[in-house]
Amino acid sequence: MIELTNLYMFILASFLLCLAPGPDNIYVLTQGMTKSKKAAIVTTLGLCTGLIIHTSAAAFGISVIFKTSEIAFNLVKYVGAAYLLYIAYQAFKHRNEPLDLSVQNSKTELKKLYLKGFFMNVLNPKVSIFFLAFLPQFVSTQNGNVPLQMIILGLIFMLLTIIVFSVVGIAGNILSSKLTKNPNIVKYMNILTSFVLGSLAIKLAISSR
């Protein structure tokens, strides 16, 4: 099992990482601001489901491929950047449409948001490399099954992320609930969303291992 000292340090480090402004929690914030609390939470769940893939990859050494193979890294990187640009285009395209929460909270729309979050996370090879570098720091070979220890840590990180990101999304929705009644504000928020996603796509495309 994981040593308690390592576990406490991991929880603290993970919590601080979740709080630090980054692409994922900024995206969740914009979802809360432009759509609804439920949309922000569902997006968070999609992003965190992707963490299961990265945790498994790190635990069983698959992430090493991205760290050692420039071709594999670039392939996934550019696919991810293209996907982010597509979502950014969709947000900008529908910037003038009025806010309709009955649509935003429909099962079909929430499913789309969940899948967007999932693919945004999975198609970012830097997350796999981050997990490969981060998780082993809190693992001890003397405590037995190393992959199992990494999976446990990954699940803890995922749980903390769900909690923190959900709070961020809900806070964003509360702060903007009155503003979204103004059509112009909704338009600007959609433009902001497309700008954030476009920036993330460019950042991902020019990133290196």
Side-chain angles (χ1 to χ4, degrees):
M1 293 297 292
I2 303 169
E3 295 179 2
L4 287 180
T5 303
N6 284 347
L7 183 60
Y8 294 147
M9 291 177 60
F10 176 79
I11 291 174
L12 177 60
S14 299
F15 181 71
L16 293 175
L17 284 170
C18 291
L19 282 178
D24 288 347
N25 53 18
I26 291 176
Y27 180 62
V28 170
L29 178 65
T30 60
Q31 292 304 297
M33 293 175 66
T34 59
K35 293 183 172 65
S36 65
K37 297 175 185 176
K38 187 179 291 186
I41 293 172
V42 169
T43 299
T44 295
L45 293 175
L47 289 166
C48 290
T49 303
L51 293 179
I52 296 176
I53 306 298
H54 292 300
T55 299
S56 300
F60 298 106
I62 300 174
S63 297
V64 176
I65 296 175
F66 291 129
K67 192 171 184 179
T68 58
S69 173
E70 186 173 355
I71 294 177
F73 179 86
N74 286 335
L75 178 62
V76 176
K77 179 180 73 173
Y78 290 130
V79 170
Y83 183 71
L84 288 174
L85 284 175
Y86 170 75
I87 302 176
Y89 167 74
Q90 290 296 317
F92 187 79
K93 178 182 178 182
H94 300 291
R95 64 190 182 282
N96 292 317
E97 294 183 4
L99 186 65
D100 185 355
L101 293 181
S102 63
V103 174
Q104 301 290 1
N105 288 323
S106 68
K107 289 184 178 180
T108 300
E109 183 63 23
L110 291 176
K111 182 179 179 180
K112 289 180 180 179
L113 288 174
Y114 175 84
L115 291 175
K116 282 181 182 179
F118 175 77
F119 285 116
M120 277 180 62
N121 194 286
V122 169
L123 293 175
N124 187 349
K126 296 197 74 174
V127 179
S128 283
I129 293 176
F130 165 74
F131 266 57
L132 187 64
F134 182 61
L135 297 183
Q137 296 183 46
F138 304 91
V139 170
S140 173
T141 55
Q142 297 177 350
N143 292 330
N145 197 321
V146 171
L148 179 60
Q149 290 184 60
M150 293 180 68
I151 289 174
I152 292 173
L153 292 174
L155 291 175
I156 293 173
F157 186 91
M158 183 178 70
L159 178 61
L160 287 172
T161 303
I162 290 174
I163 294 172
V164 174
F165 281 21
S166 294
V167 171
V168 168
I170 291 171
N173 181 262
I174 293 173
L175 292 174
S176 65
S177 58
K178 294 183 179 181
L179 296 176
T180 52
K181 295 178 181 179
N182 185 329
N184 288 327
I185 295 297
V186 175
K187 174 182 177 180
Y188 295 140
M189 285 184 173
N190 281 326
I191 293 175
L192 173 63
T193 300
S194 64
F195 175 77
V196 169
L197 291 172
S199 299
L200 296 180
I202 294 172
K203 183 178 180 181
L204 179 60
I206 64 177
S207 67
S208 61
R209 290 178 294 160

